[in-house]
Amino acid sequence: MNWTNLFKIALKAIANNKLRTFLTMLGIIIGVASVITMLAIGHGSKQSIQSQISKMGSNMIMIMPGAERRGGVRMGGSDMQTLKLSDYQSLKDECTYIAAISPSVSASGQLIFGGNNYSSQISGVSQGYLTIRQLDIDDGEMFDDNDIATSAKVCVIGTTIAKNLFTAGEEPVGQIIRFKNIPFTVIGVLKSKGYNTMGQDQDDVVLAPFTTVMKRINSVNYLQMIYASAITEDQTEQAIDEISDILRTNHKIQDGQPDNFNVRSQEELSSMMTSTTSLMTILLACVAGISLVVGGIGIMNIMFVSVTERTKEIGLRMSVGARGKDILTQFLIEAIMISITGGVIGVLVGILAAYGVKFFAGWPIAIQPISVVMSFAVCSITGIFFGWYPAKKAANLDPIEAIRYE
Amino acid sequence: MEDNGKKKVISLKDIRRDFIVGSETVHALRGVSFDIYEGEFVTIMGKSGSGKSTLLNTLGCLDTPTSGEYYLDGISVRKMSKNERAVLRNIKIGFVFQSYNLLAKTTAIENVELPLMYNPKVSSEQRKQAAIESLKMVGLGDRLYHKSNQMSGGQMQRVAIARALVNNPAVILADEATGNLDTRTSFEILVLFQKLHAEGKTIIFVTHNPEILQYSQRNITLADGKVKEDVYNTNILSAADALAALPVNEED
Ligand SMILES: Nc1ncnc2c1ncn2[C@@H]1O[C@H](COP(=O)(O)OP(=O)(O)OP(=O)(O)O)[C@@H](O)[C@H]1O
Ligand SMILES: [Mg+2]
């Protein structure tokens, strides 16, 4: 088989029909480009959610009151009052797999400073919360055990709060702000963390000793949640088991009885959230994949037209000595060249479009080499698959009839 | 029939070709036997439906006879596979068709190169050289890069003849090669065939036109799938003279 010559012949045939070739390619270009763009968007949002979650601390464990419901985390568990301060205390004392622990109680309301007020939420936590959520103090300091013991009226605020209350540019540390008529002294400001993927402002926080929030604001004796962090990510499982055991003992739960609390790791949360984006990615890729198949059918359609239109030419080629397989190869090369060229252009257009989405819509994108390689492979296979049948038809023509064809 | 010790290029022995159409059998060739020697210029005549094209397809290895033996340049063709016949056509046969059959939007030189494109033994340099030589032989040395749609019918047929010559075939087969051309151009093509004959090419020329057999060396007449007459022409006319004698301002 004389590949170089068959290649030249196929190239010539493509060059003789530029417009039609381009239109055929368009199907492949759109197909490949949309696969690449869709996957880039899908992976981009998945990656940014993942990195956001790991920034939140991948060792993080959440302990919530109330039994687990089927199908996920039980929301609104705060009305269950099964988590007590004693639970926090015994976890803090007995757990060997956790590095930090903090209770969590919160209250919503207006923060007032001078003439400014700002609607937010105050979180009652312990010092461990900073470790668990990977927060840093930028200015001032965190409250200490003494503040917790005395339910001190002190707080640490995020930069969003500072910006909204101290509009005249006052130094936040040392100022007194009011929440539900209780004066809180600002003793520290957190380092800014910006927005997370879910669009939450992570600087819109006010941290106060949990005892203060429980006694002075909420007047309750139960906790809404306990945060902990495992010593290492690998020890999360053991930590969860240990926490469950301690709480079951504390709550006097018999063997075989369901828990009245719920322990979740960050990893579970993360996989729950990424599974949603994965599903979205798959759906997007399917839609894009369909357009690639439609592009392939376009190639087949054009190849059929081309074979019929060039019947006389095929007859001539055969009469001067082209064998069936020469004709087959020629048409296959044509189909593959159209789809591969379309694929290359499609990849470029897809990458451009993905960056366009990032630039104009601000969505996170991630172009994975594997998706480029895959859509490239798919379109070559598309070329062979959809080019084969018309090429076979051409190769099986009878030279005598073909050359007489008008 | 004279046998002056020349090589037999074509040897047919009782060739039959039946076509089965529905429940009927059409006998297109009913026992055709003849030999053609190297360097002969043979015309094949006969009424429409007498089997001329079927015979030419057989000679050109496009078709296989139902029975009988065919030797082309000493090679038995009958038992060959489709692919083997394609290779044989590529090196031994040159076809000239009534409707030229040039590739569209393609230069003369590329059209002529076509048969050699399917011969892996010929390098692209040799191919180009052979194509230029063939085109010079048919008088188109100055039209190498003209595309097929930029040429007249006569020029296109010359390109087709150059294409048939390029692989230096054992035999050139022409089916109604002047059928689409006006009288003057037909004569020009005949002049060319006579010139090729003079250079020693073996030519088989199928035609309807009884005038043409005066310019060939030998004529085989077919009737109803059989050879009716096979005669050598003792008085070969010169096509060049006939062309010169044509009225100059002929409108056709
Ligand atoms: N593929 C075929 N199937 C069936 N019958 C055929 C086929 N090809 C030729 N024939 C028949 O064989 C006979 C000879 O046909 P052929 O084409 O060889 O004639 P011809 O001498 O070339 O005629 P013309 O001068 O009109 O070209 C005709 O009766 C024709 O109908
Ligand atoms: Mg005929």
Side-chain angles (χ1 to χ4, degrees):
Chain A
M1 184 106 32
N2 195 347
W3 287 96
T4 332
N5 287 353
L6 291 177
F7 230 89
K8 279 186 197 160
I9 291 168
L11 256 181
K12 176 87 189 163
I14 288 175
N16 274 352
N17 251 313
K18 288 191 194 73
L19 180 65
R20 179 203 281 176
T21 306
F22 173 72
L23 290 176
T24 314
M25 260 182 214
L26 208 55
I28 292 291
I29 293 174
I30 292 171
V32 170
S34 49
V35 167
I36 299 232
T37 315
M38 296 300 164
L39 286 178
I41 293 172
H43 283 298
S45 50
K46 188 170 164 181
Q47 268 184 15
S48 93
I49 287 177
Q50 272 170 343
S51 80
Q52 210 67 54
I53 284 169
S54 77
K55 257 190 228 153
M56 271 160 66
S58 57
N59 307 351
M60 192 167 93
I61 295 167
M62 286 155 290
I63 304 147
M64 287 157 283
E68 181 187 3
R69 274 203 192 154
R70 264 188 211 245
V73 188
R74 170 160 198 181
M75 301 313 236
S78 54
D79 53 2
M80 309 282 287
Q81 305 180 3
T82 52
L83 283 183
K84 304 288 184 192
L85 261 179
S86 55
D87 290 328
Y88 163 66
Q89 208 55 53
S90 47
L91 289 176
K92 191 180 178 184
D93 297 341
E94 295 165 37
C95 265
T96 51
Y97 288 107
I98 62 173
I101 186 162
S102 164
S104 167
V105 282
S106 61
S108 307
Q110 296 283 326
L111 291 163
I112 300 166
F113 176 76
N116 295 329
N117 56 38
Y118 184 72
S119 176
S120 187
Q121 188 176 332
I122 201 161
S123 301
V125 296
S126 69
Q127 298 94 310
Y129 192 74
L130 295 187
T131 319
I132 297 165
R133 300 301 296 257
Q134 299 180 353
L135 301 170
D136 288 309
I137 299 286
D138 195 30
D139 195 15
E141 57 192 10
M142 184 62 175
F143 43 81
D144 54 22
D145 285 339
N146 189 41
D147 293 326
I148 289 173
T150 58
S151 309
K153 291 178 272 186
V154 293
C155 68
V156 171
I157 60 172
T159 51
T160 301
I161 304 285
K163 240 177 269 162
N164 282 289
L165 291 182
F166 308 117
T167 46
E170 299 94 332
E171 180 58 41
V173 175
Q175 305 287 355
I176 292 173
I177 59 176
R178 302 181 80 83
F179 183 82
K180 296 200 168 162
N181 257 335
I182 303 163
F184 281 87
T185 307
V186 177
I187 57 167
V189 179
L190 293 169
K191 196 178 265 176
S192 173
K193 281 192 98 174
Y195 286 81
N196 69 10
T197 341
M198 285 78 85
Q200 284 170 330
D201 181 0
Q202 300 176 93
D203 298 323
D204 188 2
V205 287
V206 181
L207 303 180
F210 62 94
T211 46
T212 315
V213 176
M214 284 172 83
K215 283 187 207 153
R216 298 188 194 273
I217 301 175
N218 285 359
S219 312
V220 294
N221 63 347
Y222 58 88
L223 299 172
Q224 284 161 344
M225 211 161 142
I226 298 172
Y227 285 101
S229 74
I231 293 167
T232 66
E233 204 178 330
D234 297 338
Q235 283 165 308
T236 315
E237 281 302 308
Q238 285 112 303
I240 289 175
D241 289 345
E242 200 180 36
I243 290 166
S244 297
D245 284 345
I246 293 169
L247 290 180
R248 284 179 74 89
T249 317
N250 273 10
H251 295 184
K252 302 192 173 64
I253 297 169
Q254 309 282 304
D255 281 351
Q257 291 290 109
D259 295 343
N260 61 359
F261 57 88
N262 197 342
V263 188
R264 300 216 151 242
S265 69
Q266 185 64 61
E267 225 161 320
E268 282 173 86
L269 185 70
S270 134
S271 71
M272 199 179 76
M273 283 159 102
T274 50
S275 74
T276 319
T277 48
S278 297
L279 188 71
M280 198 180 75
T281 310
I282 291 168
L283 279 177
L284 288 176
C286 280
V287 172
I290 288 168
S291 64
L292 195 57
V293 172
V294 173
I297 293 171
I299 290 191
M300 178 146 85
N301 189 16
I302 292 295
M303 292 307 288
F304 267 125
V305 172
S306 176
V307 168
T308 311
E309 205 185 70
R310 284 152 66 188
T311 299
K312 210 178 169 71
E313 177 200 316
I314 294 164
L316 169 73
R317 289 182 184 281
M318 286 177 156
S319 71
V320 301
R323 293 162 300 174
K325 56 182 168 184
D326 294 323
I327 301 292
L328 179 87
T329 313
Q330 177 195 333
F331 276 84
L332 264 187
I333 292 175
E334 279 182 39
I336 294 170
M337 288 216 286
I338 290 176
S339 56
I340 287 189
T341 315
V344 170
I345 299 175
V347 165
L348 295 179
V349 171
I351 290 173
L352 270 180
Y355 278 104
V357 164
K358 182 183 182 166
F359 186 76
F360 292 109
W363 295 358
I365 57 150
I367 296 165
Q368 293 190 315
I370 182 78
S371 73
V372 174
V373 171
M374 240 172 54
S375 47
F376 206 78
V378 166
C379 75
S380 319
I381 292 167
T382 307
I384 298 173
F385 185 81
F386 289 105
W388 175 265
Y389 193 61
K392 192 74 197 156
K393 189 185 161 197
N396 287 345
L397 285 175
D398 177 46
I400 302 170
E401 276 168 30
I403 200 139
R404 277 209 210 117
Y405 185 88
E406 288 303 333
Chain B
M1 225 164 280
E2 54 187 6
D3 189 343
N4 43 15
K6 273 193 172 176
K7 192 170 134 196
K8 275 184 200 172
V9 173
I10 281 168
S11 176
L12 293 183
K13 296 206 166 63
D14 198 27
I15 292 290
R16 288 166 194 276
R17 180 68 168 100
D18 300 334
F19 292 104
I20 294 165
V21 184
S23 56
E24 276 181 65
T25 308
V26 180
H27 303 282
L29 298 175
R30 308 164 181 253
V32 174
S33 307
F34 57 74
D35 296 324
I36 288 173
Y37 298 89
E38 191 171 29
E40 283 190 338
F41 181 5
V42 183
T43 43
I44 294 180
M45 294 271 301
K47 288 200 202 85
S48 186
S50 56
K52 302 183 297 294
S53 294
T54 308
L55 178 61
L56 205 73
N57 288 339
T58 306
L59 293 176
C61 307
L62 286 168
D63 199 9
T64 26
T66 312
S67 71
E69 278 302 331
Y70 169 30
Y71 295 93
L72 170 63
D73 225 9
I75 305 161
S76 173
V77 178
R78 207 173 68 83
K79 290 199 185 78
M80 280 191 167
S81 73
K82 232 176 131 186
N83 281 346
E84 288 170 321
R85 278 186 283 127
V87 173
L88 196 65
R89 283 199 293 277
N90 188 245
I91 53 178
K92 297 274 185 206
I93 306 282
F95 279 104
V96 180
F97 304 94
Q98 181 173 355
S99 52
Y100 330 128
N101 284 335
L102 300 185
L103 297 177
K105 302 182 199 167
T106 306
T107 60
I109 197 160
E110 284 176 298
N111 264 297
V112 175
E113 279 182 330
L114 187 69
L116 302 183
M117 291 291 273
Y118 293 101
N119 186 346
K121 293 197 187 90
V122 180
S123 74
S124 65
E125 198 40 53
Q126 290 171 315
R127 189 168 67 223
K128 191 169 181 192
Q129 231 30 66
I132 293 173
E133 228 164 86
S134 292
L135 280 165
K136 280 183 181 156
M137 213 183 282
V138 300
L140 288 177
D142 55 344
R143 294 279 195 282
L144 299 181
Y145 296 99
H146 283 226
K147 293 198 170 167
S148 30
N149 51 329
Q150 299 165 333
M151 284 186 279
S152 70
Q155 287 170 331
M156 285 199 272
Q157 194 59 300
R158 280 166 192 273
V159 174
I161 293 168
R163 181 178 63 199
L165 288 171
V166 77
N167 55 346
N168 195 20
V171 58
I172 296 168
L173 302 174
D175 195 353
E176 305 273 8
T178 56
N180 278 7
L181 301 170
D182 61 42
T183 317
R184 171 169 285 277
T185 320
S186 296
F187 272 108
E188 286 169 3
I189 295 298
L190 272 181
V191 170
L192 178 56
F193 273 112
Q194 280 194 333
K195 179 186 149 217
L196 294 173
H197 174 224
E199 284 167 18
K201 305 283 179 201
T202 312
I203 300 161
I204 300 177
F205 194 108
V206 167
T207 180
H208 264 115
N209 185 352
E211 219 186 317
I212 289 175
L213 57 91
Q214 299 171 278
Y215 303 95
S216 76
Q217 180 188 18
R218 175 184 172 188
N219 178 61
I220 296 172
T221 307
L222 286 186
D224 200 16
K226 284 187 207 139
V227 177
K228 189 177 132 196
E229 198 183 44
D230 183 354
V231 289
Y232 278 85
N233 184 357
T234 44
N235 179 26
I236 304 169
L237 298 184
S238 159
D241 292 348
L243 181 61
L246 279 179
V248 184
N249 282 328
E250 189 195 351
E251 300 284 333
D252 206 328

